[in-house]
Amino acid sequence: MSGHGFHVHGPHDHEVEHAAHSNDEFSSKIAVMTAIMATVGALLGYEGGATQNEAAMHKNSAAIKKTEASDRWSYYQAKSGKQNLAELAMIIPGSDVEKYKSEVARYKTEKEQIKKEAEALEQQVVELEKSSEAALHQHHRWAQAMTAVQIAISLAAIALLTKKKWLEYASYAVATAGLGIAALAWMHI
């Protein structure tokens, strides 16, 4: 207990601290590897969080673009309605047919531009959703790598407490697997 409150330590924390002050090579090696694995785990956690945020940003941008595309399609429908009214007005006896013909032509031209804009927005939605899925996949890889490193740290703590060499090797193997998964995340695989 210190002057700043209570500190609760697990058995492995005490062993790691004890190992740092002893000449026990096994314990010292485990203590150093645990510190390295904890640092690597923190880096993997950061990358996992960053890619999760990236995926969310892409998904949010896709939703915004989808709304914009929907607005353009609504505008397209409004122009279609006006075009239909102008076409109907052309067949009313005594109407200014040339005026309504020019309006129909104008609405057709305007609709084509609106349609191109809406389709371009829809294409952006598809691309943003693909980007979101890719970032989310990469996030899962980072999370898997971090989980493996956390398991390796736990195995190292158990190895330190039990002094079992095979647990030390198991810890290194799981940490190596975590680094392999991290490499896959880094390569976007």
Side-chain angles (χ1 to χ4, degrees):
M1 181 165 90
S2 70
H4 301 299
F6 292 102
H7 293 283
V8 178
H9 297 285
H12 71 283
D13 293 326
H14 176 72
E15 286 294 326
V16 168
E17 193 174 310
H18 178 69
H21 301 293
S22 73
N23 290 329
D24 180 4
E25 187 178 320
F26 179 82
S27 297
S28 296
K29 189 168 36 166
I30 294 288
V32 169
M33 286 307 297
T34 300
I36 290 170
M37 287 186 280
T39 302
V40 169
L43 294 171
L44 297 176
Y46 172 80
E47 289 296 331
T51 53
Q52 184 177 27
N53 290 338
E54 181 183 351
M57 291 299 293
H58 287 303
K59 190 60 102 173
N60 188 48
S61 295
I64 291 168
K65 292 294 180 188
K66 192 176 284 189
T67 300
E68 290 175 16
S70 177
D71 290 347
R72 296 312 289 167
W73 284 119
S74 294
Y75 191 46
Y76 179 89
Q77 290 295 359
K79 291 290 182 178
S80 291
K82 289 180 179 184
Q83 178 185 339
N84 290 340
L85 289 174
E87 289 169 347
L88 183 61
M90 287 185 342
I91 62 171
I92 295 175
S95 67
D96 186 355
V97 174
E98 289 307 312
K99 173 187 167 189
Y100 291 115
K101 274 187 182 180
S102 68
E103 283 188 17
V104 167
R106 180 173 57 93
Y107 289 133
K108 282 184 180 180
T109 303
E110 289 174 354
K111 281 176 31 183
E112 280 304 310
Q113 180 60 34
I114 295 166
K115 180 180 178 183
K116 286 179 185 174
E117 291 169 2
E119 288 172 343
L121 287 165
E122 286 178 339
Q123 184 57 40
Q124 289 176 16
V125 168
V126 169
E127 291 168 11
L128 286 164
E129 286 180 347
K130 283 181 184 176
S131 295
S132 177
E133 288 299 318
L136 194 56
H137 176 74
Q138 188 181 19
H139 161 72
H140 288 141
R141 286 281 192 231
W142 288 118
Q144 291 165 343
M146 186 176 65
T147 301
V149 170
Q150 289 172 337
I151 291 168
I153 291 169
S154 296
L155 288 173
I158 295 168
L160 186 61
L161 292 171
T162 62
K163 305 285 188 208
K164 302 286 185 189
K165 200 76 167 154
W166 69 270
L167 279 172
E168 175 189 8
Y169 295 134
S171 173
Y172 296 156
V174 174
T176 301
L179 291 176
I181 296 168
L184 294 175
W186 185 66
M187 294 184 295
H188 298 268
I189 295 176

